Amino acid sequence: DTAVSQTPKYLVTQMGNDKSIKCEQNLGHDTMYWYKQDSKKFLKIMFSYNNKELIINETVPNRFSPKSPDKAHLNLHINSLELGDSAVYFCASSQGWTGLILEQYFGPGTRLTVT
Amino acid sequence: AQSVTQPDIHITVSEGASLELRCNYSYGATPYLFWYVQSPGQGLQLLLKYFSGDTLVQGIKGFEAEFKRSQSSFNLRKPSVHWSDAAEYFCAVGKLSGAGSYQLTFGKGTKLSVIP
């Protein structure tokens, strides 16, 4: 069973469109994350989310919004796509703070190409 | 703010040779440190982590890392590299970011190439 899955794996779209990337985890974790990996392989946190709060990295444009229908899913919606949004987007999950920081488990990534 | 530096962008080693990938961090408190590996076209897989205790930690695939507080380093090592170890390696530091969540700050990665 895949622990953290993302769909689609590849997404090609035009500037100005709105798109969503889905993420599901079957690990029973209560915290999920979105990361962006740019063309130079640099990984940066975009959001972390659990049932308590949403933490947004201040550099993320408000065109990006995470939506969580339930604890096992955290989808990423992107409005008015721009060329600079082209990247690989990774979803991750972890158990929430229990006194120790536990590792995050990553999905396979979604390669978004904006033309 | 926390930061992670991986000084080596690209390292090439011969199969069977030893490996050391460098990682330096900047963090005001006791760091939570991780090494992840990313094979081409794949997601990230955790190799090992350090929270506290023994400063030499063992991970999967024969990797180990040593935490040195005095040098703010967490270098990854492997005594004998296999061709399948060719990948991108990321060092990361974790920081609590709110009620029940934390965020990873990654270094820019080191690409490892292995010569047969």
Side-chain angles (χ1 to χ4, degrees), chain A residues 10 20 32 38 49 52 54 59 61 71 75 79 82 85-86 95 106-109 111 115:
Chain A
Y10 300 96
S20 294
M32 297 183 73
D38 64 23
Y49 181 81
K52 298 184 180 74
L54 169 66
T59 64
K71 203 171 82 165
N75 303 326
N79 295 325
E82 300 177 358
D85 298 332
S86 295
Q95 196 58 41
F106 283 77
R111 181 175 294 277
T115 62

Side-chain angles (χ1 to χ4, degrees), chain B residues 1-108:
Chain B
Q2 70 276 17
S3 66
V4 177
T5 302
Q6 293 180 247
D8 304 306
I9 297 173
H10 190 184
I11 285 182
T12 300
V13 301
S14 298
E15 192 169 15
S18 63
L19 171 70
E20 182 169 31
L21 302 182
R22 295 183 290 165
C23 172
N24 293 97
Y25 67 89
S26 172
Y27 188 60
T30 301
Y32 295 84
L33 295 163
F34 304 81
W35 273 100
Y36 281 86
V37 60
Q38 183 180 25
S39 298
Q42 303 296 314
L44 282 82
Q45 181 182 23
L46 179 71
L47 286 175
L48 46 79
K49 60 184 184 282
Y50 171 78
F51 295 156
S52 64
D54 192 348
T55 57
L56 184 64
V57 293
Q58 302 296 322
I60 63 171
K61 304 185 179 186
F63 286 93
E64 67 178 25
E66 185 171 13
F67 170 63
K68 293 185 178 180
R69 184 185 298 276
S70 62
Q71 299 177 17
S72 297
S73 69
F74 188 55
N75 294 347
L76 181 71
R77 300 194 295 247
K78 187 169 184 178
S80 178
V81 169
H82 188 263
W83 65 265
S84 60
D85 293 324
E88 192 92 24
Y89 291 80
F90 294 93
C91 181
V93 62
K95 176 191 173 185
L96 284 176
S97 57
S101 68
Y102 72 96
Q103 295 181 350
L104 292 175
T105 297
F106 285 88
K108 294 191 175 182

